[in-house]
Amino acid sequence: MITPGKAMDDKFHDECGVFGVFKHADAARINYLGLYALQHRGQESAGIVSSDGHQLFVEKGMGHVADIFQEPSFEKLKGDMAIGHTRYSTAGESSLQNAQPIKVACSKGELALCHNGNLVNALEVRQRLENEGSIFQSTSDSEVILHLIARSQKSTIEEAIQEALSQLAGAYSLIFLTKDKMIAVRDPRGFRPLCFGWLDGSPVIGSETCAFDLIDATFEREVEPGEMVIFSEQGVECRKIFPAVEHSYCIFEHVYFSRPDSEIFGRSVYQSRYLLGKYLAQEQPAGADIVVPVPDSGVAAAIGFSKESGIQFEFGLIRNHYVGRTFIEPKQSIRHFGVRIKLNPVADLLRGKRVVLVDDSLVRGTTSRKIVKMVRAAGATEVHVRISCPPTVSPCFYGVDTPTKRELIASSHSVEEICKYIEADSLGYLSHKSMLRACGDIEGQSHFCSACYTGKYPVEFPESTLVEISSRV
Ligand code: SF4
């Protein structure tokens, strides 16, 4: 039995998606739809917590949003406010215990939390709290936030959240729910996106704007880095709770994670991906007959490459969208079986052609190797691989599931060596400078984190985290 998500995908993995709606008669169902649109950000578990103004109600499960929530779930999720989460485990094991939202009862009343990101000093803070007697329910780093809030002597929930977050470092886009308030907060560097909009006069918060499109909500703006937005009976209040620091928007959101129909970090993801492909064609041209994307995420870059190079675009690989969470392998081996579960070549398009294969990342190299072989077996005479970002050389510690440094092929191999390994006729990556430009950066004023390409981490790690990190590098 294979789990395609982890065993087969040679990709970085999305972190989590968060969504919230305040004072809407159909809050739980709206939240469900928001999570449905954010399913690409995490497929291991999902949950919704709602409030009727007196009490919080929770429904969580393992698997996809559509499988977890059925009609009876919405009868349970009473009230006109709700927050929800879809998770791909980045910190803590994958289990229902770690599924979010996390709901607790503490001195501040009932409180629920959804977290997208990863706290780099969670381990250190957790050890301190455990030494002082705290008991944790899960292995998730997010629970640390709730413990710090519960212990705060501040009189209001907003002040307690601020005090808790001031002790933490790393990436967090958060939505809290109390019995009568919804509170959104984004870390001072703004690693992960968090968008704010309106639906029928009710405020909505979500990781990406594609969630707003599905429910017909209008996008107003992003929650600013270091900002807290409070939704209550009194209306909407915005507070800057941290001094301004340099931004570190995750550039991988534009390169790969976010949906191309979303607008995040003030820019269309599709436009960024198109330009990544366009600049790739300028920097890494290839003599070929057709440009073929590795679908789905490589499509926009391949269109940009094709338009710029004048080489015809073709869907030479077709993706199976209905791959389940696990599947049974045949007893007798089938050539290219693992990769064919997800991708199948269109032999008629590829036969006798020189192919430029455009992908958005090359992590371990194992899948690229299989795809190149498969395209050649389908009749391509040459396969030129082009990657719409620079070589990935370092793991992420800000909420993205990445292999260890040792497993990242580009951390220890030259482009020539990788090309040989994947058995391509040529291999070309986009430069770091052009990646930043494609995603909207003005030279010398970068707003992005690109540590997985450079190894230069914008937020430092405490000593205890370094011990944990050393096992991953
Ligand atoms: S290290 Fe890479 S994946 Fe992680 S936040 Fe930075 S750019 Fe994003």
Side-chain angles (χ1 to χ4, degrees), residues 12-13 15 171 191-192 248-253 255 257 265 392 394-402 435 448-458:
F12 278 14
H13 277 279
E15 334 77 12
F191 279 99
R192 304 279 146 231
S248 304
Y249 302 150
C250 170
I251 201 152
F252 227 85
E253 293 276 356
V255 172
F257 292 140
F265 308 145
T392 316
S394 290
C396 174
F397 301 103
Y398 307 126
V400 171
D401 185 62
T402 53
M435 174 181 69
F448 285 103
C449 170
S450 56
C452 44
Y453 303 110
T454 61
K456 291 179 191 148
Y457 293 98

